[in-house]
Amino acid sequence: MPDSQSSGKTVIASAREGRVFDFKRFAVHDGPGIRTTVFLKGCPLSCAWCHNPEAIIRGPQIFFRPERCIECLACVDVCPTSAQTVVDNKRVFTRGVCDLSGFCVDVCNSGALELAGRVMSVDEVMEAVRADAGFYDESGGGVTLSGGEPLLQAEFAIALLRACHTAGIHTAVDTCGQLQWSTLEAALPFTEMFLYDLKDMSSENHRANTGVLNDRIIDNLKRLSGTGVPIEIRIVIIPGVNDSDDQIEGAGRFIGGLDNITGVRLLAYHRMAGSKYDALDMKNTLPDVEPPDELRLMAIGKQLEAQGLTVHLPERA
Amino acid sequence: MIASTGSVARERTWDSFDDNRDAIFRRFKDGSYSPDTGASPDELQRMADAYLLENPDQSRILQKANIFRMVLTHGRIDVDPEDWFAEKIDHGNVLRKLTHGARGDQDFGPGLWLEEAAAGNLKSGTDWFDQAQEHGVTTGPRSGLDLGHISPGWDKLLARGLSGLLDDIAQARASLGDAISKDQDAFYSALEIVYGAAIDFASRLSNFASAAAESQPEHSTKLGAITRALSNVPAHRPRTLHEALQFMWLMHQLIEMEGENVRSMGQFDRTLYPFYRADVGAGRITDDHARELIKFFWHKWYCGTEGAANGKNFVFGGQAADGSEITNDLTYLALDAYEELNTPDPKLSVRYLPGSPERLYDRVADLIRKGHNSFVLMNDETAVEALVKRGKTPEDARIYLPIGCYEPAVEGKEVACTMNVTVNLAKPLELALNDGVDPRTGVRLGPATGDASGFESYDDLHAAYITQLDHVLNNSRQHIAEAEREWPRINPAPFISGAIDDCIATGADISAGGARYNSVGFVGAGLANAADSLFALKAAAFDGARFTMAEIVDATRTDFYGREDMRLYLRNRVPKWGNNEPGVDAVAKGVADHFCATVHSFTNGRGGGCQAALFTLVAAASFGALSGATPDGRKSGESLAPGVGASYGLDIGGVTGLINSVSTLDFTETPNGSVLDVSLHPTAVAGEDGLNAFVGLIKTFFSQGGYAIQFNVLDAETLRDAQRNPEQYASLQVRITGWSVYFTTLTRKEQDQYIARIVHAG
């Protein structure tokens, strides 16, 4: 699944420019203070429960939400490949022949067509994040890179971190850890905090649900914890997948053995991302389980606290 | 019954507020009075009518004062035996019917003297205002005359009581000697009549309570306290916190009976602190008792307004005249009481300056995120500078109050009249696009500025807009000034005038410009729609040539019928105010600057200045209903943007972009106030991180020069509205850690799941 479309000119990641799919301003749980979270495209994992499916592949994608379409057919006029056509009086979007020119998105005033992942330069991103410098200053906040896996666009991500660092803006990186150690090491001088996702301590389970073994993730986390940089561990609690008492106990034991951990933030799995899969024509892989209830999350929190860890429950608690 | 959320255990040595609140509310609304206690409202009305017939040549201020005394002397009274405070009199609105009639939600017919002026000397101005209101050009009180937005000088009243004012009057008479004018003499006589009447009225209530205590010994604690309090206040300085609160409540009710003028009850924690401190020091009161007392006190305001418009404002924090920061133990105690009270009224405001305690930020932010969202937060640095720029001394400016909602005015020294006229800033654009004629009615409302299709440049368009706007402002100024000159014949107000500097010193009523500061408020509404529409035309018809002026003008006249593509382009493809976009932000600032500078060039009919504001209140909806489609993509009849912020659903740059845009305005040039409304997700401000971020948001708004900000915590009801009206909520982001998505892109089922989460968070 990952990178199936990411070929040729559509993949851009250099020290000067990269592919960004969103900004979230006034982000308050992605590191200290008020932050701007910059979402970079591309991820080495393909988690079944992924709630940002547009983050998986590195190339651009087009969201299509037909309920917003007013049938003005401007997209049909500009499409260079007949991906946008009218068949039997119905407008049809055929992704198979789409060359991702983005021309249709440019003329879609209703917002039915939207581009996920536009190319931005380091300077453009910096201008966007610098706009909120006053908020970072008053709250002790800064910039968080997220994704996808932001360090997959390594040169671009590190150039952004360096630019923030130079500008005196606090930096955090939300990583899945499935990277070469040298990439994390290169980001380290410009990263003031890591938010490190831990999905499952069982490597086999990990592979079944994310596509990769967890060996490298675990190994990188151990090495990172020895560098002195503060690390917040993040665990998405998915009932029936990674939330058994044994699994939590194992995670707690492992985390307890690490240094420089600021705490464990529990995130609750939710099933609200289906519309994104639909709008991308991607197969919805979200596990058909109920989100964890508050009592269960509190119990998990208590269990981890009993193991000596600082725990942050999801923002609804 | 709303359960108390307080966690502090209360002593039960006396019956608690929660045991009494419902019964007090019921009896307040019930309004039945025993005939034994005096004349009915109908009888009072006949007495008033007879008085006017018998004294046709008396000055109006004396007519009013005498009828004021007649009502207080003869009206039916009552004292609630389960309350700590007394004030009840069945006055039948006799005085207001005589003067200016219905206000707010109350409807008891037109005021005799106001209608007489409106049909006579003020006819042309009133006709213009009526037509402007019918077309959504302006809105405001009858004839453009705001008779209030005042706070009496609570310091002075509480320090010396009404007998102190009577001493001042005697002294002023003595110093004038034979040089006293007829008007001054009438003014002083009127004050002597109303203050004497108020002192006697307090004795009536005190005697009633004393008698009631004998027949209802089970209520003797409260009735005894009322008996003692009203034998001392309002004639003299209160001896306890209870007496001070009784004094303020009684004064408020009598001022409102005279004519609705009071909108702010002052700096609560500054004014009342000495009484609280003395009670605690003497062992007369515990904090639990003080908190209960404040709840009983504020409940009276809730009984009066029930969360509807015209709720009265109490302000906390900020500074005293000498610049010292006020926050003290009473601040936090009162905020605790407010949380336990859990009602939307009264309205609380909080002032901040560098040096305000972190605890005050945290406590208020915590209350807001728990759903107590009627708080308005204000920045003293901006407010004080704005007032000093308009000629107030720094000492006076520092004791400003949010006099209604967020309009800063000086306590006890300013007759602020903040709502003389609210101007629809978007309507002049509609007129500029239609040569001065309202396209919906065909009525000419402004000067002919030419066929908009023929405008060759954006400058032509902008000039036509300014011409139309100036026409509205100039007409309003002229007619308000004329109405103000009639004010002494419409609603002289002796009872409050004595509590406003420098009325006693100069011998002039507030209606005759006796206050130290006499202001007139011009409120600009719909800044976002004006700026977005101008900028959309600039971008689409001039800079971009995407559409012609003629095409866009035609489309707005037909509510974009058949041109949804154009409407969506104008709405979604052109940058909008509130997103930190320099181009459109500059247009908005230009409109605001012109509006404020023009208003500030005016003098008013009482010799004071006109003051500009930017906010909307209910005008966003009412103007919107009377405005056709606008070039920002807004459809005919839809609401204008609220406050000084972005149009609904168009602040897609999020709250920080909104604050950055709004901060480009110069709020030291809006001395009549402004407000930014911000919606918050409960999840975004949850936990310690969330509180810290919330406070950081407030501080950044202030440090960037903002003035007033208020918050709406999103709830399930709002999100269900978003399901029904997705375009109005296009900027609504879902707030879940690590997730990036807009609410309106979710499926119905997913939206329901999110709503369930939000409900959970509350």
PDB file of all heavy atoms in Angstrom, chain B residues 8-34:
ATOM      1  N   VAL B   8     -17.510  23.293  48.576  1.00  0.00           N
ATOM      2  CA  VAL B   8     -17.166  23.705  49.935  1.00  0.00           C
ATOM      3  C   VAL B   8     -18.363  23.464  50.846  1.00  0.00           C
ATOM      4  O   VAL B   8     -19.478  23.892  50.581  1.00  0.00           O
ATOM      5  CB  VAL B   8     -16.805  25.204  49.961  1.00  0.00           C
ATOM      6  CG1 VAL B   8     -16.371  25.609  51.354  1.00  0.00           C
ATOM      7  CG2 VAL B   8     -15.717  25.495  48.947  1.00  0.00           C
ATOM      8  N   ALA B   9     -18.117  22.768  51.901  1.00  0.00           N
ATOM      9  CA  ALA B   9     -19.208  22.486  52.840  1.00  0.00           C
ATOM     10  C   ALA B   9     -19.658  23.784  53.500  1.00  0.00           C
ATOM     11  O   ALA B   9     -18.863  24.627  53.867  1.00  0.00           O
ATOM     12  CB  ALA B   9     -18.720  21.504  53.900  1.00  0.00           C
ATOM     13  N   ARG B  10     -20.956  23.945  53.567  1.00  0.00           N
ATOM     14  CA  ARG B  10     -21.486  25.171  54.169  1.00  0.00           C
ATOM     15  C   ARG B  10     -22.068  24.851  55.533  1.00  0.00           C
ATOM     16  O   ARG B  10     -22.678  23.813  55.736  1.00  0.00           O
ATOM     17  CB  ARG B  10     -22.582  25.769  53.287  1.00  0.00           C
ATOM     18  CG  ARG B  10     -22.040  26.563  52.136  1.00  0.00           C
ATOM     19  CD  ARG B  10     -23.178  27.240  51.405  1.00  0.00           C
ATOM     20  NE  ARG B  10     -24.088  26.254  50.852  1.00  0.00           N
ATOM     21  CZ  ARG B  10     -23.870  25.631  49.705  1.00  0.00           C
ATOM     22  NH1 ARG B  10     -22.794  25.886  49.017  1.00  0.00           N
ATOM     23  NH2 ARG B  10     -24.732  24.762  49.238  1.00  0.00           N
ATOM     24  N   GLU B  11     -21.899  25.810  56.407  1.00  0.00           N
ATOM     25  CA  GLU B  11     -22.554  25.652  57.695  1.00  0.00           C
ATOM     26  C   GLU B  11     -24.050  25.871  57.490  1.00  0.00           C
ATOM     27  O   GLU B  11     -24.465  26.719  56.740  1.00  0.00           O
ATOM     28  CB  GLU B  11     -22.019  26.692  58.688  1.00  0.00           C
ATOM     29  CG  GLU B  11     -20.557  26.483  59.017  1.00  0.00           C
ATOM     30  CD  GLU B  11     -20.031  27.646  59.843  1.00  0.00           C
ATOM     31  OE1 GLU B  11     -20.705  28.028  60.803  1.00  0.00           O
ATOM     32  OE2 GLU B  11     -18.952  28.143  59.500  1.00  0.00           O
ATOM     33  N   ARG B  12     -24.826  25.110  58.202  1.00  0.00           N
ATOM     34  CA  ARG B  12     -26.279  25.198  58.045  1.00  0.00           C
ATOM     35  C   ARG B  12     -26.922  25.900  59.236  1.00  0.00           C
ATOM     36  O   ARG B  12     -28.025  25.565  59.627  1.00  0.00           O
ATOM     37  CB  ARG B  12     -26.872  23.806  57.877  1.00  0.00           C
ATOM     38  CG  ARG B  12     -26.417  23.105  56.606  1.00  0.00           C
ATOM     39  CD  ARG B  12     -27.265  23.557  55.436  1.00  0.00           C
ATOM     40  NE  ARG B  12     -26.713  23.035  54.191  1.00  0.00           N
ATOM     41  CZ  ARG B  12     -27.285  23.188  53.013  1.00  0.00           C
ATOM     42  NH1 ARG B  12     -28.417  23.858  52.904  1.00  0.00           N
ATOM     43  NH2 ARG B  12     -26.727  22.704  51.928  1.00  0.00           N
ATOM     44  N   THR B  13     -26.207  26.837  59.788  1.00  0.00           N
ATOM     45  CA  THR B  13     -26.776  27.515  60.952  1.00  0.00           C
ATOM     46  C   THR B  13     -27.902  28.449  60.546  1.00  0.00           C
ATOM     47  O   THR B  13     -28.669  28.897  61.361  1.00  0.00           O
ATOM     48  CB  THR B  13     -25.705  28.339  61.686  1.00  0.00           C
ATOM     49  OG1 THR B  13     -25.079  29.181  60.714  1.00  0.00           O
ATOM     50  CG2 THR B  13     -24.668  27.440  62.318  1.00  0.00           C
ATOM     51  N   TRP B  14     -28.011  28.773  59.265  1.00  0.00           N
ATOM     52  CA  TRP B  14     -29.117  29.585  58.781  1.00  0.00           C
ATOM     53  C   TRP B  14     -29.508  29.009  57.447  1.00  0.00           C
ATOM     54  O   TRP B  14     -28.724  28.343  56.787  1.00  0.00           O
ATOM     55  CB  TRP B  14     -28.714  31.047  58.683  1.00  0.00           C
ATOM     56  CG  TRP B  14     -27.389  31.268  58.011  1.00  0.00           C
ATOM     57  CD1 TRP B  14     -26.164  30.851  58.446  1.00  0.00           C
ATOM     58  CD2 TRP B  14     -27.167  31.917  56.780  1.00  0.00           C
ATOM     59  NE1 TRP B  14     -25.185  31.208  57.566  1.00  0.00           N
ATOM     60  CE2 TRP B  14     -25.774  31.877  56.531  1.00  0.00           C
ATOM     61  CE3 TRP B  14     -28.010  32.562  55.856  1.00  0.00           C
ATOM     62  CZ2 TRP B  14     -25.211  32.434  55.396  1.00  0.00           C
ATOM     63  CZ3 TRP B  14     -27.422  33.113  54.734  1.00  0.00           C
ATOM     64  CH2 TRP B  14     -26.054  33.042  54.527  1.00  0.00           C
ATOM     65  N   ASP B  15     -30.754  29.237  57.033  1.00  0.00           N
ATOM     66  CA  ASP B  15     -31.213  28.539  55.836  1.00  0.00           C
ATOM     67  C   ASP B  15     -30.498  29.045  54.587  1.00  0.00           C
ATOM     68  O   ASP B  15     -30.218  30.221  54.439  1.00  0.00           O
ATOM     69  CB  ASP B  15     -32.739  28.607  55.683  1.00  0.00           C
ATOM     70  CG  ASP B  15     -33.239  30.033  55.656  1.00  0.00           C
ATOM     71  OD1 ASP B  15     -32.473  30.924  56.043  1.00  0.00           O
ATOM     72  OD2 ASP B  15     -34.388  30.232  55.250  1.00  0.00           O
ATOM     73  N   SER B  16     -30.175  28.105  53.717  1.00  0.00           N
ATOM     74  CA  SER B  16     -29.235  28.391  52.645  1.00  0.00           C
ATOM     75  C   SER B  16     -29.929  28.969  51.419  1.00  0.00           C
ATOM     76  O   SER B  16     -31.150  28.912  51.273  1.00  0.00           O
ATOM     77  CB  SER B  16     -28.526  27.107  52.245  1.00  0.00           C
ATOM     78  OG  SER B  16     -29.393  26.348  51.429  1.00  0.00           O
ATOM     79  N   PHE B  17     -29.077  29.493  50.540  1.00  0.00           N
ATOM     80  CA  PHE B  17     -29.574  30.045  49.286  1.00  0.00           C
ATOM     81  C   PHE B  17     -30.304  28.986  48.469  1.00  0.00           C
ATOM     82  O   PHE B  17     -31.380  29.229  47.937  1.00  0.00           O
ATOM     83  CB  PHE B  17     -28.409  30.630  48.486  1.00  0.00           C
ATOM     84  CG  PHE B  17     -28.805  31.035  47.113  1.00  0.00           C
ATOM     85  CD1 PHE B  17     -29.620  32.133  46.907  1.00  0.00           C
ATOM     86  CD2 PHE B  17     -28.393  30.297  46.004  1.00  0.00           C
ATOM     87  CE1 PHE B  17     -30.004  32.503  45.632  1.00  0.00           C
ATOM     88  CE2 PHE B  17     -28.776  30.665  44.729  1.00  0.00           C
ATOM     89  CZ  PHE B  17     -29.591  31.763  44.535  1.00  0.00           C
ATOM     90  N   ASP B  18     -29.700  27.813  48.368  1.00  0.00           N
ATOM     91  CA  ASP B  18     -30.301  26.779  47.528  1.00  0.00           C
ATOM     92  C   ASP B  18     -31.708  26.392  48.004  1.00  0.00           C
ATOM     93  O   ASP B  18     -32.562  26.027  47.204  1.00  0.00           O
ATOM     94  CB  ASP B  18     -29.407  25.536  47.482  1.00  0.00           C
ATOM     95  CG  ASP B  18     -28.227  25.762  46.556  1.00  0.00           C
ATOM     96  OD1 ASP B  18     -28.301  26.696  45.724  1.00  0.00           O
ATOM     97  OD2 ASP B  18     -27.235  25.027  46.670  1.00  0.00           O
ATOM     98  N   ASP B  19     -31.933  26.500  49.328  1.00  0.00           N
ATOM     99  CA  ASP B  19     -33.260  26.177  49.843  1.00  0.00           C
ATOM    100  C   ASP B  19     -34.297  27.229  49.456  1.00  0.00           C
ATOM    101  O   ASP B  19     -35.488  26.982  49.525  1.00  0.00           O
ATOM    102  CB  ASP B  19     -33.222  26.069  51.383  1.00  0.00           C
ATOM    103  CG  ASP B  19     -32.333  24.925  51.834  1.00  0.00           C
ATOM    104  OD1 ASP B  19     -32.117  24.002  51.018  1.00  0.00           O
ATOM    105  OD2 ASP B  19     -31.847  24.967  52.974  1.00  0.00           O
ATOM    106  N   ASN B  20     -33.834  28.417  49.110  1.00  0.00           N
ATOM    107  CA  ASN B  20     -34.745  29.537  48.928  1.00  0.00           C
ATOM    108  C   ASN B  20     -34.857  30.074  47.501  1.00  0.00           C
ATOM    109  O   ASN B  20     -35.759  30.845  47.202  1.00  0.00           O
ATOM    110  CB  ASN B  20     -34.298  30.711  49.819  1.00  0.00           C
ATOM    111  CG  ASN B  20     -34.534  30.420  51.280  1.00  0.00           C
ATOM    112  OD1 ASN B  20     -35.664  30.229  51.698  1.00  0.00           O
ATOM    113  ND2 ASN B  20     -33.469  30.355  52.045  1.00  0.00           N
ATOM    114  N   ARG B  21     -33.904  29.709  46.644  1.00  0.00           N
ATOM    115  CA  ARG B  21     -33.801  30.414  45.361  1.00  0.00           C
ATOM    116  C   ARG B  21     -35.076  30.308  44.526  1.00  0.00           C
ATOM    117  O   ARG B  21     -35.501  31.291  43.924  1.00  0.00           O
ATOM    118  CB  ARG B  21     -32.578  29.960  44.562  1.00  0.00           C
ATOM    119  CG  ARG B  21     -32.625  28.511  44.079  1.00  0.00           C
ATOM    120  CD  ARG B  21     -31.289  28.081  43.476  1.00  0.00           C
ATOM    121  NE  ARG B  21     -30.944  28.841  42.278  1.00  0.00           N
ATOM    122  CZ  ARG B  21     -29.738  28.812  41.707  1.00  0.00           C
ATOM    123  NH1 ARG B  21     -28.756  28.099  42.244  1.00  0.00           N
ATOM    124  NH2 ARG B  21     -29.496  29.489  40.609  1.00  0.00           N
ATOM    125  N   ASP B  22     -35.675  29.139  44.487  1.00  0.00           N
ATOM    126  CA  ASP B  22     -36.864  28.973  43.641  1.00  0.00           C
ATOM    127  C   ASP B  22     -38.041  29.797  44.154  1.00  0.00           C
ATOM    128  O   ASP B  22     -38.750  30.440  43.387  1.00  0.00           O
ATOM    129  CB  ASP B  22     -37.269  27.502  43.566  1.00  0.00           C
ATOM    130  CG  ASP B  22     -36.270  26.690  42.770  1.00  0.00           C
ATOM    131  OD1 ASP B  22     -35.424  27.317  42.085  1.00  0.00           O
ATOM    132  OD2 ASP B  22     -36.320  25.450  42.830  1.00  0.00           O
ATOM    133  N   ALA B  23     -38.214  29.774  45.480  1.00  0.00           N
ATOM    134  CA  ALA B  23     -39.347  30.500  46.065  1.00  0.00           C
ATOM    135  C   ALA B  23     -39.169  32.006  45.869  1.00  0.00           C
ATOM    136  O   ALA B  23     -40.123  32.728  45.570  1.00  0.00           O
ATOM    137  CB  ALA B  23     -39.476  30.160  47.546  1.00  0.00           C
ATOM    138  N   ILE B  24     -37.943  32.481  46.030  1.00  0.00           N
ATOM    139  CA  ILE B  24     -37.683  33.918  45.844  1.00  0.00           C
ATOM    140  C   ILE B  24     -37.971  34.313  44.399  1.00  0.00           C
ATOM    141  O   ILE B  24     -38.597  35.346  44.127  1.00  0.00           O
ATOM    142  CB  ILE B  24     -36.228  34.256  46.235  1.00  0.00           C
ATOM    143  CG1 ILE B  24     -36.050  34.130  47.742  1.00  0.00           C
ATOM    144  CG2 ILE B  24     -35.841  35.651  45.754  1.00  0.00           C
ATOM    145  CD1 ILE B  24     -34.609  34.252  48.213  1.00  0.00           C
ATOM    146  N   PHE B  25     -37.523  33.472  43.470  1.00  0.00           N
ATOM    147  CA  PHE B  25     -37.767  33.745  42.053  1.00  0.00           C
ATOM    148  C   PHE B  25     -39.272  33.813  41.776  1.00  0.00           C
ATOM    149  O   PHE B  25     -39.765  34.723  41.115  1.00  0.00           O
ATOM    150  CB  PHE B  25     -37.117  32.651  41.207  1.00  0.00           C
ATOM    151  CG  PHE B  25     -37.295  32.845  39.720  1.00  0.00           C
ATOM    152  CD1 PHE B  25     -36.467  33.711  39.021  1.00  0.00           C
ATOM    153  CD2 PHE B  25     -38.295  32.176  39.026  1.00  0.00           C
ATOM    154  CE1 PHE B  25     -36.635  33.908  37.663  1.00  0.00           C
ATOM    155  CE2 PHE B  25     -38.469  32.357  37.669  1.00  0.00           C
ATOM    156  CZ  PHE B  25     -37.627  33.232  36.984  1.00  0.00           C
ATOM    157  N   ARG B  26     -39.999  32.844  42.301  1.00  0.00           N
ATOM    158  CA  ARG B  26     -41.439  32.762  42.067  1.00  0.00           C
ATOM    159  C   ARG B  26     -42.145  34.006  42.598  1.00  0.00           C
ATOM    160  O   ARG B  26     -42.960  34.614  41.913  1.00  0.00           O
ATOM    161  CB  ARG B  26     -41.978  31.502  42.750  1.00  0.00           C
ATOM    162  CG  ARG B  26     -43.179  30.876  42.065  1.00  0.00           C
ATOM    163  CD  ARG B  26     -43.455  29.461  42.553  1.00  0.00           C
ATOM    164  NE  ARG B  26     -43.352  29.301  43.990  1.00  0.00           N
ATOM    165  CZ  ARG B  26     -42.480  28.489  44.593  1.00  0.00           C
ATOM    166  NH1 ARG B  26     -41.624  27.773  43.888  1.00  0.00           N
ATOM    167  NH2 ARG B  26     -42.458  28.388  45.914  1.00  0.00           N
ATOM    168  N   ARG B  27     -41.786  34.392  43.812  1.00  0.00           N
ATOM    169  CA  ARG B  27     -42.456  35.552  44.414  1.00  0.00           C
ATOM    170  C   ARG B  27     -42.053  36.852  43.711  1.00  0.00           C
ATOM    171  O   ARG B  27     -42.851  37.774  43.606  1.00  0.00           O
ATOM    172  CB  ARG B  27     -42.157  35.625  45.908  1.00  0.00           C
ATOM    173  CG  ARG B  27     -42.977  34.610  46.715  1.00  0.00           C
ATOM    174  CD  ARG B  27     -42.878  34.869  48.209  1.00  0.00           C
ATOM    175  NE  ARG B  27     -41.532  34.587  48.707  1.00  0.00           N
ATOM    176  CZ  ARG B  27     -41.164  33.400  49.192  1.00  0.00           C
ATOM    177  NH1 ARG B  27     -42.007  32.405  49.250  1.00  0.00           N
ATOM    178  NH2 ARG B  27     -39.939  33.224  49.625  1.00  0.00           N
ATOM    179  N   PHE B  28     -40.802  36.904  43.201  1.00  0.00           N
ATOM    180  CA  PHE B  28     -40.371  38.104  42.469  1.00  0.00           C
ATOM    181  C   PHE B  28     -41.222  38.264  41.218  1.00  0.00           C
ATOM    182  O   PHE B  28     -41.654  39.353  40.857  1.00  0.00           O
ATOM    183  CB  PHE B  28     -38.888  37.968  42.093  1.00  0.00           C
ATOM    184  CG  PHE B  28     -38.289  39.250  41.568  1.00  0.00           C
ATOM    185  CD1 PHE B  28     -37.614  40.118  42.410  1.00  0.00           C
ATOM    186  CD2 PHE B  28     -38.386  39.575  40.223  1.00  0.00           C
ATOM    187  CE1 PHE B  28     -37.061  41.297  41.941  1.00  0.00           C
ATOM    188  CE2 PHE B  28     -37.827  40.760  39.740  1.00  0.00           C
ATOM    189  CZ  PHE B  28     -37.172  41.624  40.595  1.00  0.00           C
ATOM    190  N   LYS B  29     -41.481  37.148  40.521  1.00  0.00           N
ATOM    191  CA  LYS B  29     -42.238  37.191  39.269  1.00  0.00           C
ATOM    192  C   LYS B  29     -43.736  37.371  39.517  1.00  0.00           C
ATOM    193  O   LYS B  29     -44.430  37.969  38.707  1.00  0.00           O
ATOM    194  CB  LYS B  29     -42.019  35.888  38.483  1.00  0.00           C
ATOM    195  CG  LYS B  29     -40.634  35.753  37.924  1.00  0.00           C
ATOM    196  CD  LYS B  29     -40.426  36.765  36.826  1.00  0.00           C
ATOM    197  CE  LYS B  29     -38.973  36.919  36.472  1.00  0.00           C
ATOM    198  NZ  LYS B  29     -38.706  38.122  35.686  1.00  0.00           N
ATOM    199  N   ASP B  30     -44.186  36.829  40.611  1.00  0.00           N
ATOM    200  CA  ASP B  30     -45.608  36.826  40.936  1.00  0.00           C
ATOM    201  C   ASP B  30     -46.145  38.254  41.061  1.00  0.00           C
ATOM    202  O   ASP B  30     -47.142  38.631  40.450  1.00  0.00           O
ATOM    203  CB  ASP B  30     -45.805  36.035  42.242  1.00  0.00           C
ATOM    204  CG  ASP B  30     -47.213  36.198  42.794  1.00  0.00           C
ATOM    205  OD1 ASP B  30     -48.118  36.401  41.971  1.00  0.00           O
ATOM    206  OD2 ASP B  30     -47.390  36.128  44.014  1.00  0.00           O
ATOM    207  N   GLY B  31     -45.437  39.084  41.801  1.00  0.00           N
ATOM    208  CA  GLY B  31     -45.762  40.500  41.884  1.00  0.00           C
ATOM    209  C   GLY B  31     -47.109  40.823  42.476  1.00  0.00           C
ATOM    210  O   GLY B  31     -47.713  41.839  42.121  1.00  0.00           O
ATOM    211  N   SER B  32     -47.621  39.990  43.386  1.00  0.00           N
ATOM    212  CA  SER B  32     -48.882  40.365  44.032  1.00  0.00           C
ATOM    213  C   SER B  32     -48.576  41.142  45.312  1.00  0.00           C
ATOM    214  O   SER B  32     -47.634  40.827  46.032  1.00  0.00           O
ATOM    215  CB  SER B  32     -49.720  39.130  44.342  1.00  0.00           C
ATOM    216  OG  SER B  32     -49.033  38.295  45.247  1.00  0.00           O
ATOM    217  N   TYR B  33     -49.358  42.185  45.546  1.00  0.00           N
ATOM    218  CA  TYR B  33     -49.122  43.067  46.690  1.00  0.00           C
ATOM    219  C   TYR B  33     -50.399  43.185  47.499  1.00  0.00           C
ATOM    220  O   TYR B  33     -51.506  43.150  46.940  1.00  0.00           O
ATOM    221  CB  TYR B  33     -48.710  44.457  46.217  1.00  0.00           C
ATOM    222  CG  TYR B  33     -47.340  44.515  45.591  1.00  0.00           C
ATOM    223  CD1 TYR B  33     -47.142  44.149  44.259  1.00  0.00           C
ATOM    224  CD2 TYR B  33     -46.245  44.961  46.327  1.00  0.00           C
ATOM    225  CE1 TYR B  33     -45.901  44.206  43.685  1.00  0.00           C
ATOM    226  CE2 TYR B  33     -44.985  45.030  45.757  1.00  0.00           C
ATOM    227  CZ  TYR B  33     -44.814  44.649  44.433  1.00  0.00           C
ATOM    228  OH  TYR B  33     -43.577  44.710  43.861  1.00  0.00           O
ATOM    229  N   SER B  34     -50.244  43.350  48.766  1.00  0.00           N
ATOM    230  CA  SER B  34     -51.424  43.532  49.617  1.00  0.00           C
ATOM    231  C   SER B  34     -51.987  44.944  49.443  1.00  0.00           C
ATOM    232  O   SER B  34     -51.245  45.925  49.551  1.00  0.00           O
ATOM    233  CB  SER B  34     -51.034  43.305  51.082  1.00  0.00           C
ATOM    234  OG  SER B  34     -52.068  43.807  51.891  1.00  0.00           O
TER     235      SER B  34
END
